[in-house]
Amino acid sequence: MYEAFFEMENTPFTRDIPADRLYRSPKINDAVGRLTYVTDKRKFAVVTAESGCGKSTLIRLLKHDLPKDKYMVLYLSDSQLTPRWLYAGFLDQMGLESHFYRGDSKRKLQKEIENIRTEQKKKVVCVLDEAHLLDKETLEEFRFLLNSEFDSESQMSLVLVGQTELWEQKLRLQKYAAIRQRIDMNIVLEKLDRAETARYIAAHLAYAGCTRELFTSGAEDEIYKISAGIPRMINRVCENSLLYACQQQKRLIDEHMVRFVADHEMLLVYD
């Protein structure tokens, strides 16, 4: 709707922006670099952040950056995941059927990963998202993937991704010590600051093909204040502001318009 009014070629604040056009903040770039090291050395990493701070974006960028002829990325995101379906999910992505008993499926997965490593010369990366919602048994099973060949060099790299409570309410507890002790790298994604928020908005507008200013500096101040630098919230505020401006036939969005939208059309922001 507003895209035509502002003469945009693409929708700017959406989740399906191609990976090569996503805004890469210094913090995201640093996290991608650290995860690249983890995948190269076949290590175990944990990624945590508040909701909406870019965990999924980070994994998309990692997958985009890893050469497809050298890496295979397996990704699961299921809050109801059980150990049996953990293996079934990874095997399915490899085009293989799982066994009824999870021990058999685990051995099949490890054998296939070893074949990929030795025959295809690829490194396998297993990513488990929404990990803060998973129970201890499933998290333990994910960690068990590292335990092949009597605790020698791992066949694969593991990346556990979740909201802040994954660390605060689970991994830091004594009953998760066995998992915590195997973690090679802990990555925490921070919110964007004011300058990064402006660059984030500019990058998304550039993707949309917008060649002129749409948000004043004051509007960006308000967007940062309302969103607290959380990318998902920046998207919501910007999208609603663009829609409102289109309805009002205004081609420049100032701080008063952003505040009006936040106060009258985005009540959930303040819940």
Side-chain angles (χ1 to χ4, degrees):
M1 178 179 179
Y2 63 78
E3 292 89 346
F5 178 76
F6 289 110
E7 301 178 339
M8 295 177 175
E9 300 171 0
N10 301 300
T11 303
F13 299 99
T14 181
R15 296 178 60 183
D16 58 359
I17 293 177
D20 61 342
R21 299 298 302 274
L22 289 168
Y23 171 66
R24 301 178 71 133
S25 70
K27 296 167 185 173
I28 282 284
N29 270 335
D30 176 71
V32 172
R34 296 173 71 191
L35 279 182
T36 301
Y37 173 82
V38 166
T39 60
D40 181 58
K41 301 300 183 182
R42 297 194 293 271
K43 293 182 178 294
F44 181 19
V46 172
V47 177
T48 57
E50 290 186 32
S51 177
C53 278
K55 298 183 297 297
S56 296
T57 296
L58 172 61
I59 300 305
R60 284 185 64 198
L61 289 171
L62 174 69
K63 185 174 181 180
H64 174 266
D65 287 2
L66 293 176
K68 292 180 175 56
D69 61 332
K70 296 181 179 179
Y71 290 89
M72 176 182 289
V73 179
L74 306 176
Y75 174 86
L76 286 178
S77 177
D78 185 350
S79 61
Q80 302 300 316
L81 197 67
T82 63
R84 179 185 175 191
W85 290 107
L86 170 72
Y87 298 120
F90 285 141
L91 286 168
D92 181 66
Q93 291 179 49
M94 293 173 149
L96 301 172
E97 292 186 6
S98 63
H99 295 286
F100 180 80
Y101 294 105
R102 73 188 190 197
D104 293 334
S105 292
K106 174 186 175 181
R107 285 186 287 273
K108 185 174 184 177
L109 177 62
Q110 290 177 325
K111 180 179 179 181
E112 183 62 21
I113 288 174
E114 180 61 20
N115 289 338
I116 291 170
R117 187 165 74 96
T118 57
E119 297 178 12
Q120 299 183 31
K121 306 301 181 183
K122 287 185 178 182
K123 296 178 180 179
V124 177
V125 184
C126 296
V127 180
L128 187 56
D129 205 349
E130 299 295 336
H132 58 286
L133 299 174
L134 301 177
D135 59 25
K136 182 175 181 291
E137 185 181 17
T138 303
L139 293 176
E140 285 278 11
E141 202 69 35
F142 187 67
R143 189 261 300 183
F144 287 156
L145 285 174
L146 293 172
N147 294 344
S148 61
E149 303 302 326
F150 300 103
D151 210 31
S152 62
E153 183 182 53
S154 176
Q155 296 175 304
M156 71 209 81
S157 53
L158 304 181
V159 182
L160 202 59
V161 184
Q163 294 184 18
T164 305
E165 52 262 40
L166 171 62
W167 191 267
E168 296 298 325
Q169 299 177 18
K170 290 190 174 182
L171 296 180
R172 69 182 298 178
L173 302 180
Q174 182 58 36
K175 67 178 182 177
Y176 289 93
I179 301 175
R180 188 172 62 248
Q181 291 166 5
R182 295 300 301 270
I183 297 171
D184 297 301
M185 189 172 293
N186 182 33
I187 299 171
V188 180
L189 286 181
E190 304 290 347
K191 303 173 185 177
L192 302 180
D193 60 26
R194 169 61 179 83
E196 290 169 339
T197 298
R199 289 193 287 269
Y200 179 93
I201 294 171
H204 282 247
L205 291 177
Y207 163 72
C210 186
T211 58
R212 57 187 178 81
E213 180 185 18
L214 292 188
F215 294 93
T216 66
S217 178
E220 291 176 349
D221 288 338
E222 284 298 316
I223 292 168
Y224 174 66
K225 187 186 302 182
I226 295 165
S227 68
I230 298 174
R232 184 181 297 161
M233 291 305 303
I234 295 173
N235 288 347
R236 287 187 59 192
V237 177
C238 288
E239 183 172 37
N240 279 273
S241 296
L242 287 167
L243 182 59
Y244 177 74
C246 173
Q247 293 169 337
Q248 300 300 313
Q249 297 293 292
K250 302 290 186 181
R251 296 191 180 275
L252 184 65
I253 300 170
D254 62 19
E255 63 269 29
H256 303 294
M257 297 172 68
V258 174
R259 176 53 59 185
F260 179 87
V261 167
D263 288 342
H264 296 85
E265 300 183 15
M266 297 185 65
L267 300 180
L268 290 177
V269 172
Y270 302 104
D271 282 358

